Amino acid sequence: MNREEKKKKVLDMLKDQVITQAQALDLLELIAHETTEKKTSEPEPLAREVEITPPNLPFDFFGQSDYRFSFSEPVRKSQIAELRVIGKNSQINVMTHQKSTIDIKGWYKATRNNNPMITFVEQDNVYVLNYNVHGVKHLGCDIYVPEEMLGLIYIENSNAPVDLRGIEAKEIGVLTKNAPISIRGCISERLIAATKNSDVTVKQVQSKVLDVTTTNAKIVVNDTFAFEGEFKTSNAMIFLQDSGITKSYYETKNANLWIDLTTIDLRGRYEIEGRTTNANIEVLLPDQQDVSYQISGATKRGAIITDRSDLRIRARDKGYLVAKTYDYDTSPSSVNLNLQTTNANIKITETFY
């Protein structure tokens, strides 16, 4: 099994939820460091020529200058089945343009005495940008794709940011580490974003399924709508605002959860589960009308605070509350809250402007 096949297997396992995003990142990192790749009997795809230009600055013998490369590849079918881009230690930006081509403008720094072997390969309407992992110190690029629905867009990077804007694809996958991910104005059926030790920002996104993971950094979700959403981090805040996610799960440690539901569709039903430790959970409900809700909340060495007087209490003590509004079972819209923290408060309030 060659390196690309191994990567595809890891991604399939991630898609099928056999492994977590963190485990996928670790496996991809191990695959990237393999020194040999077995040859297969499959026919070789057609590799496009890469236009290489000299550095912007005169080349220095200490290897400090970047080289530039570019392609412009016509899209022969109405939909790109798959676009895969592999980068290393430099930023990757993906955006749309009004052409029927995939245009890539990139930069790289080679390791001494190694050929970077940057290739752009197309086979069966699948486009792949790749390179010699041992031949470059860093590689990044600006990528322009047509304004039409893609099948799958997958971006893999390391130690550098990834920024996607205005992309439409059935599936979007973004993996990097130790660098932020920003996804704005995108539409998908399934969107996965995973990094480590850096923020993830999701803004103006529409997706059936959202899966966002990082560590030791914030997750910010704004003006985003989805059927299912899962958001996990540690030691940093999760912040949701101006968004509607029908079924959502939030998990962090040692940091606040801020869930702003003031703009949800009052005709919908929402399920929200939130977990943290040593920090507050705050849920803001719309104030246009009383929203029917049910809460199952638990905290240690904290309190559960609500500003509704029409709650039917099923169980309650200082750090535990199971209750629902009197009209919860008959209302056409409702919010089901399942919240848990330690050493802090849980607060559900209606906003007033």
Side-chain angles (χ1 to χ4, degrees), residues 3-287:
R3 187 159 62 96
E4 291 304 317
E5 289 172 334
K6 290 179 181 179
K7 287 182 178 181
K8 187 177 186 304
K9 185 175 181 180
V10 170
L11 293 173
D12 289 341
M13 292 170 67
L14 176 61
K15 179 180 177 181
D16 296 336
Q17 298 183 340
V18 176
I19 59 176
T20 65
Q21 288 92 339
Q23 289 170 330
L25 283 171
D26 292 338
L27 288 172
L28 290 170
E29 187 173 353
L30 287 173
I31 293 169
H33 284 83
E34 288 183 347
T35 56
T36 60
E37 186 173 312
K38 295 181 180 179
K39 294 183 179 180
T40 66
S41 59
E42 297 178 0
E44 289 293 330
L46 179 62
R48 307 300 180 189
E49 290 292 330
V50 182
E51 179 185 342
I52 305 287
T53 60
N56 290 340
L57 300 174
F59 183 76
D60 66 288
F61 291 98
F62 297 99
Q64 298 303 312
S65 299
D66 284 356
Y67 282 91
R68 304 285 171 170
F69 66 90
S70 63
F71 332 101
S72 182
E73 181 66 26
V75 177
R76 293 179 294 177
K77 297 183 179 180
S78 60
Q79 183 187 82
I80 300 168
E82 190 171 320
L83 173 62
R84 290 177 178 266
V85 177
I86 313 300
K88 183 178 182 180
N89 303 330
S90 190
Q91 182 159 350
I92 295 176
N93 306 305
V94 187
M95 60 211 86
T96 60
H97 63 182
Q98 295 181 343
K99 300 178 182 179
S100 58
T101 58
I102 299 175
D103 292 347
I104 301 178
K105 298 178 181 180
W107 50 89
Y108 75 95
K109 181 177 179 180
T111 57
R112 196 173 293 274
N113 300 323
N114 273 300
N115 187 337
M117 294 187 293
I118 302 170
T119 60
F120 190 56
V121 176
E122 186 272 333
Q123 185 177 32
D124 298 330
N125 209 25
V126 174
Y127 299 80
V128 180
L129 175 71
N130 212 335
Y131 62 94
N132 174 12
V133 68
H134 305 292
V136 300
K137 292 185 178 179
H138 66 246
L139 181 146
C141 54
D142 294 330
I143 303 168
Y144 301 85
V145 299
E147 292 180 330
E148 57 189 45
M149 180 69 74
L150 285 70
L152 166 68
I153 180 166
Y154 169 69
I155 310 297
E156 178 188 329
N157 204 12
S158 58
N159 307 312
V162 177
D163 190 338
L164 269 66
R165 294 177 183 265
I167 304 299
E168 293 189 33
K170 289 184 178 179
E171 293 191 41
I172 297 174
V174 181
L175 278 74
T176 188
K177 61 181 182 179
N178 306 320
I181 294 173
S182 176
I183 301 174
R184 299 171 185 264
C186 294
I187 299 174
S188 71
E189 293 184 6
R190 182 179 179 86
L191 191 156
I192 297 175
T195 186
K196 296 180 179 179
N197 307 315
S198 293
D199 295 347
V200 181
T201 300
V202 178
K203 186 174 183 179
Q204 295 176 339
V205 167
Q206 297 180 40
S207 182
K208 288 184 179 178
V209 179
L210 277 171
D211 201 337
V212 178
T213 302
T214 186
T215 57
N216 307 313
K218 297 193 303 291
I219 295 175
V220 178
V221 182
N222 188 270
D223 196 14
T224 290
F225 297 88
F227 178 71
E228 292 184 17
E230 186 169 297
F231 309 92
K232 293 182 179 180
T233 186
S234 58
N235 306 313
M237 182 179 183
I238 299 176
F239 182 91
L240 176 89
Q241 187 176 40
D242 296 334
S243 301
I245 301 174
T246 305
K247 185 177 181 180
S248 54
Y249 177 80
Y250 308 88
E251 180 181 312
T252 187
K253 296 179 181 179
N254 308 315
N256 293 340
L257 292 181
W258 177 277
I259 304 171
D260 184 346
L261 303 177
T262 56
T263 59
I264 60 173
D265 184 349
L266 295 176
R267 297 166 296 178
R269 293 186 177 274
Y270 299 87
E271 295 183 23
I272 296 166
E273 186 171 355
R275 298 284 184 270
T276 188
T277 57
N278 307 313
N280 294 330
I281 299 175
E282 185 158 357
V283 179
L284 303 181
L285 297 172
D287 68 330

Side-chain angles (χ1 to χ4, degrees), residues 326-344:
Y326 280 93
D327 62 346
Y328 178 83
D329 295 323
T330 58
S331 174
S333 64
S334 62
V335 178
N336 184 8
L337 300 168
N338 189 339
L339 308 172
Q340 182 175 313
T341 187
T342 59
N343 307 315

